[in-house]
């Protein structure tokens, strides 16, 4: 795979391309978040790039890197159907300033992907037309795919019934109820 | 059933017997409402199809309104977001009503121990029979249905978990004999090319 796309990006954005790598055909460019939308627009509109197909946008959380480069690594993968090449753009964000320009005006497919990234990681996308939670409910607080979200913390919308416990199954003395267990017992008529 | 209907006669027993009669009548006339959310639905479709013939138990007619049904099948994973809807569906059903928890996810959340999944539908609504399995085979589903019918006949509303049953004695040998008859004269099946 040629590094055409990376060379084009470097020629266009210069120092705003922080680093590039190319491993077995996977071209990756880490960008300054300031040029995020401009780079997406450039990849779509430049005739030699012609990246007309949005593949994916999501976030990876590296909590240990928040001091140095920023914990959230937003990535965007775009592909050119005609030229059969693809590139992955990355932007690193610190938790204190976890916002990024939305590319949903450039790639329509990024709309729901950005909503999901916001829902799961709390990265805010400036200029998104409708930045709401997409999978979780509005009452949910916190961002469940952040590494510091407690792994089994649930936020139920309903009040659990009495006598039930988290993860304690019903499988106690009633496990394997035999047929014809007992004669009719008026005590058992209702719940 | 003759003794149930005809027996008794002492004072105070009649009510119980009348309930037993009602239960006997009800258990062969179950109108189901399938609340199908996940992959268990495939096994539910298999169990509800003609091959396993759930009509034998008088429970073959699905009603797609909870107001017309008295048996709620909860088939598959229920998320926290769906839990209010599930409870509302249950509340819309008319008494007497029963709930079957189909599969491990509906019974206790299964392996989804996380932020998104309701850890068992009994956190939201009462359950009559839990059918374990991921997903349960149609035989297990029918076993669970028969256990529910048994419970209805006994007017027993305590939760029940379907027992994991082994094949009866002699059946594995019989299966092996049938297999040998079927494979007679054919090349043996091996894993090698």
């Amino acid at each position: 795979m040629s590094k055409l796309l990376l060379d084009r990006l470097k020629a266009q954005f210069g120092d705003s391309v922080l680093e590039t790598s190319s491993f077995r055909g996977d071209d990756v460019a880490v960008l300054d978040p300031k040029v995020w939308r401009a780079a997406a627009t450039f990849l779509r509109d430049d005739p030699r790039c012609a990246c007309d197909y949005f593949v994916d946008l999501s976030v990876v959380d590296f909590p240990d890197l928040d001091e140095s480069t920023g914990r959230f690594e937003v990535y965007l993968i775009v592909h050119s159907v005609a030229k059969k090449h693809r590139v992955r753009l990355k932007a690193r964000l610190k938790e204190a300033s976890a916002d990024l320009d939305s590319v949903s005006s450039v790639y329509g497919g990024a709309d729901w992907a950005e909503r999901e990234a916001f829902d799961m990681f709390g990265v805010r996308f400036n200029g998104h037309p409708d930045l709401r939670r997409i999978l979780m409910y509005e009452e949910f607080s916190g961002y469940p795919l952040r590494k510091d979200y407690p792994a089994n913390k649930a936020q139920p919308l309903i009040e659990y019934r009495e006598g039930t416990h988290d993860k304690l199954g019903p499988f106690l003395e009633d496990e394997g109820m035999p047929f014809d267990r007992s004669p009719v017992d008026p005590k058992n008529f209702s719940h | 059933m003759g003794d149930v209907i005809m027996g008794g006669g002492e004072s105070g027993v009649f009510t119980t017997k009348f309930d037993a009669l009602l239960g006997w009548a009800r258990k062969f006339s179950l109108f189901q409402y399938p609340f199908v959310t996940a992959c268990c639905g495939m096994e539910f479709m298999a169990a509800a199809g003609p091959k396993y013939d759930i009509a034998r138990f008088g429970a073959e007619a699905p009603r797609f309104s909870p107001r017309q049904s008295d048996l709620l099948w909860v088939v598959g994973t229920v998320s926290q977001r769906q839990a209010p809807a599930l409870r509302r569906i249950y509340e819309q059903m008319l008494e007497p009503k029963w709930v079957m928890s189909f599969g491990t996810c509906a019974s206790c959340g299964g392996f989804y121990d996380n932020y998104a999944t309701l850890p068992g539908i009994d956190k939201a609504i009462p359950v009559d029979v839990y059918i374990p399995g991921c997903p349960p085979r149609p035989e297990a589903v029918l076993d669970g249905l028969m256990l529910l019918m048994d419970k209805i006949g006994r007017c027993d509303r305590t939760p029940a978990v379907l027992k994991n049953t082994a094949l009866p004695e002699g059946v594995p040998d019989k299966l092996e004999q049938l297999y040998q008859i079927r494979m007679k004269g054919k090349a043996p099946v091996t894993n090698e090319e």
Side-chain angles (χ1 to χ4, degrees):
Chain A
M1 197 71 180
S2 76
K3 296 182 185 173
L4 171 109
L5 287 171
L6 296 182
D7 293 339
R8 295 285 298 151
L9 279 170
K10 274 190 270 194
Q12 183 73 19
F13 294 101
D15 288 343
S16 294
V17 180
L18 302 178
E19 58 184 86
T20 61
S21 65
S22 188
F23 179 71
R24 294 187 178 171
D26 281 345
D27 295 341
V28 180
V30 181
L31 300 176
D32 188 333
K34 291 190 181 68
V35 299
W36 182 251
R37 187 187 287 154
T41 314
F42 173 76
L43 285 171
R44 184 191 65 178
D45 292 340
D46 184 72
R48 278 191 280 174
C49 299
C51 292
D52 50 359
Y53 181 68
F54 167 83
V55 179
D56 194 17
L57 182 147
S58 191
V59 183
V60 185
D61 186 10
F62 301 99
D64 297 340
L65 299 181
D66 201 40
E67 298 295 318
S68 52
T69 58
R71 63 183 285 185
F72 299 118
E73 194 172 82
V74 185
Y75 69 84
L76 164 70
I77 305 174
V78 290
H79 176 72
S80 170
V81 175
K83 298 191 180 296
K84 298 183 176 63
H85 57 206
R86 75 172 60 209
V87 66
R88 182 158 75 236
L89 305 181
K90 288 180 180 177
R92 291 173 181 150
L93 307 171
K94 297 198 176 190
E95 185 175 355
S97 59
D99 52 346
L100 189 65
D101 285 336
S102 167
V103 295
S104 61
S105 58
V106 185
Y107 293 102
D111 186 329
W112 283 12
E114 284 178 350
R115 278 180 66 184
E116 186 186 3
F118 164 69
D119 191 356
M120 294 289 129
F121 293 94
V123 175
R124 305 194 67 87
F125 292 89
N126 301 322
H128 190 283
D130 184 24
L131 195 65
R132 284 181 294 126
R133 287 190 182 274
I134 189 170
L135 296 170
M136 304 311 293
Y137 30 95
E138 290 297 325
E139 293 88 342
F140 197 86
S141 72
Y143 302 100
L145 289 196
R146 286 189 179 186
K147 296 287 185 205
D148 47 14
Y149 186 88
N152 54 1
K153 181 187 171 192
Q155 302 182 26
L157 281 174
I158 55 166
E159 202 173 320
Y160 286 174
R161 289 174 60 236
E162 279 184 25
T164 61
H165 305 276
D166 266 356
K167 309 307 288 182
L168 253 187
F171 316 116
L172 301 171
E173 63 268 24
D174 271 314
E175 180 158 15
M177 176 191 275
F179 287 59
D180 282 326
R181 179 178 62 161
S182 60
V184 173
D185 184 349
K187 283 204 305 286
N188 295 335
F189 275 15
S190 61
H191 288 291
Chain B
M1 293 312 299
D3 57 333
V4 173
I5 300 168
M6 305 296 289
E10 300 162 34
S11 68
V13 179
F14 178 76
T15 311
T16 307
K17 294 298 180 189
F18 183 65
D19 280 328
L21 175 64
L22 265 185
W24 172 78
R26 281 168 178 164
K27 72 178 187 178
F28 295 107
S29 170
L30 294 168
F31 285 77
Q32 47 169 304
Y33 178 81
F35 186 87
V36 181
T37 54
C39 37
C40 274
M42 306 310 291
E43 214 67 19
F44 178 73
M45 290 171 214
K51 181 172 179 183
Y52 292 95
D53 196 12
I54 208 166
R56 286 174 293 167
F57 306 98
E60 80 280 18
R63 318 305 297 180
F64 295 105
S65 163
R67 292 163 195 249
Q68 298 174 350
S69 52
D70 52 12
L71 171 58
L72 176 63
W73 291 83
V74 183
V75 183
T77 321
V78 176
S79 64
Q80 294 282 4
R81 200 175 172 170
Q82 281 173 312
L86 177 64
R87 177 174 282 178
R88 184 156 183 194
I89 283 172
Y90 176 77
E91 285 167 353
Q92 286 182 60
M93 293 168 63
L94 297 178
E95 291 281 357
K97 54 192 173 185
W98 298 275
V99 177
M100 297 277 270
S101 170
F102 188 114
T104 305
C105 288
S107 299
C108 66
F111 50 72
Y112 296 108
D113 183 6
N114 60 18
Y115 60 94
T117 306
L118 187 69
I121 60 166
D122 53 356
K123 306 296 178 292
I125 58 177
V127 176
D128 286 285
V129 174
Y130 300 85
I131 306 173
C134 185
R137 300 241 338 130
E139 291 89 336
V141 178
L142 296 183
D143 226 11
L145 183 63
M146 286 160 65
L147 178 56
L148 177 72
M149 291 167 66
D150 191 60
K151 282 183 57 180
I152 294 172
R154 288 186 274 120
C155 298
D156 183 356
R157 302 307 302 267
T158 52
V161 183
L162 185 66
K163 199 172 188 174
N164 189 10
T165 49
L167 288 172
E169 198 178 342
V171 169
D173 295 340
K174 186 68 182 168
L175 286 175
E176 178 66 21
Q177 285 174 17
L178 290 170
Y179 179 75
Q180 294 300 341
I181 292 169
R182 181 168 182 171
M183 298 308 290
K184 198 174 180 182
K186 296 181 183 170
V189 178
T190 63
N191 289 329
E192 293 152 24
E193 292 277 318

